[in-house]
Amino acid sequence: QQKVQQSPESLTVSEGAMASLNCTFSDGTSDNFRWYRQHSGKGLEVLVSIFSDGEKEEGRFTAHLNRASLHVSLHIREPQPSDSAVYLCAMRGSNYQLIWGSGTKLIIKP
Amino acid sequence: NSKVIQTPRYLVKGQGQKAKMRCIPEKGHPVVFWYQQNKNNEFKFLINFQNQEVLQQIDMTEKRFSAECPSNSPCSLEIQSSEAGDSALYLCASSLSRTGGPQDTQYFGPGTRLLVL
C-alpha cells in the first residue's frame, strides 16, 4: 500500500524566514507530486506540482523532488502571517487518486 | 483559484438519517473525486468519476455510500444511514484528466462538513 509520511507535524517560523516542509513516500513508482495548503475552515489550494526530479518554483513556493531518496520538500520564501495554514503533500497513486501526507501546521509569527 | 462549488457547507444529521451533499466541478472538468478528511487530517479516497461513469470506489462506498455525476446536473454523494464515524469534511475535487502531468491537477471545493449526532 502506497503511503506518504510528512514532517514536521507543526512548525513555527518568524515572518520573512524560510519555512521548509518534508514528505517521504513509500515507493518510487509515482511521478506526480503536489503541495496543497488548507486555511482553517477552507478548502484545499494547490501550490506547486512537480513531475520530475529537481526543483519547481511557483512564486514564493519551491518544491524539490528526489525520487531516488523518496523525498519531496516544499520551501516557502519570505513567509507572511497569511501563509499560516495546514500544508499537505500529495502523491498520485497507482489508481489515480491522491495519497496524502498527514499535514504540517505552519504558523508564521509577525 | 478553484471554481469547484460544494453545497451545503455544513450538514447536521442524526444517526440513521440520510445525508446528501452536492458538487459542481469546474467547467470542462470531466473527472471528479470525492474524499473524506477527518479531524486528524487523514484523507480517505471514496470514489471517482469520469463524466457519468464510476472509475474506482472503495469498499466503504459500496455499502452505505452512493454517488453519481449525472449529465447536466451536480454530482452528489449520499450516505444512506449516517453513523457517528461519518462525521468529517467531505471534499470534492475535479480535474481535466487523470493521465498524468499538469492536466490531472485536482482542484478542490471548500468541502461539506458533516456532523452526525
Side-chain angles (χ1 to χ4, degrees):
Chain A
Q1 187 180 1
Q2 293 174 300
K3 291 185 180 179
V4 178
Q5 286 191 307
Q6 187 168 346
S7 63
E9 190 174 312
S10 64
L11 179 65
T12 300
V13 172
S14 296
E15 185 175 1
M18 179 79 77
S20 298
L21 295 69
N22 300 285
C23 280
T24 54
F25 36 95
S26 55
D27 63 67
T29 56
S30 181
D31 60 356
N32 192 314
F33 299 86
R34 290 180 170 86
W35 284 93
Y36 287 85
R37 73 179 174 187
Q38 187 175 33
H39 285 100
S40 181
K42 306 285 187 184
L44 291 155
E45 173 190 3
V46 60
L47 299 173
V48 187
S49 302
I50 187 164
F51 311 110
S52 59
D53 286 344
E55 182 179 298
K56 176 76 179 297
E57 183 176 314
E58 295 282 358
R60 295 183 295 109
F61 302 97
T62 302
H64 290 263
L65 175 62
N66 184 328
R67 289 172 62 191
S69 301
L70 304 179
H71 185 257
V72 62
S73 61
L74 178 71
H75 304 277
I76 308 172
R77 183 168 39 87
E78 298 176 2
Q80 300 151 15
S82 58
D83 292 320
S84 297
V86 174
Y87 288 74
L88 295 134
C89 62
M91 172 178 82
R92 193 184 71 155
S94 53
N95 287 331
Y96 304 107
Q97 70 266 31
L98 293 173
I99 299 167
W100 297 87
S102 52
T104 295
K105 184 175 181 180
L106 177 65
I107 299 171
I108 306 299
K109 291 194 306 183
Chain B
N1 288 330
S2 172
K3 298 178 179 62
V4 176
I5 298 170
Q6 285 189 254
T7 56
R9 293 293 308 275
Y10 301 93
L11 194 54
V12 180
K13 294 290 178 181
Q15 293 196 48
Q17 289 186 319
K18 283 187 184 180
K20 187 169 185 174
M21 53 205 85
R22 292 175 176 82
C23 169
I24 300 175
E26 282 207 26
K27 190 174 182 180
H29 284 193
V31 185
V32 174
F33 297 79
W34 285 98
Y35 295 89
Q36 179 194 64
Q37 183 187 17
N38 68 20
K39 60 183 180 180
N40 296 319
N41 283 334
E42 294 166 337
F43 285 75
K44 184 178 287 183
F45 164 79
L46 298 177
I47 192 168
N48 69 339
F49 292 84
Q50 181 148 356
N51 297 311
Q52 294 81 52
E53 182 184 346
V54 175
L55 298 176
Q56 294 109 15
Q57 60 184 357
I58 64 167
D59 285 346
M60 179 181 79
T61 312
E62 291 171 4
K63 291 172 184 171
R64 293 185 299 110
F65 289 60
S66 62
E68 61 176 1
C69 272
S71 177
N72 298 319
S73 292
C75 297
S76 64
L77 175 69
E78 185 171 54
I79 307 172
Q80 300 302 320
S81 177
S82 301
E83 299 175 357
D86 297 331
S87 297
L89 182 67
Y90 288 83
L91 290 160
C92 174
S94 71
S95 66
L96 270 172
S97 81
R98 58 185 189 106
T99 55
Q103 290 190 321
D104 78 353
T105 299
Q106 293 180 31
Y107 294 92
F108 285 80
T112 293
R113 187 165 296 282
L114 172 65
L115 175 62
V116 182
L117 301 174

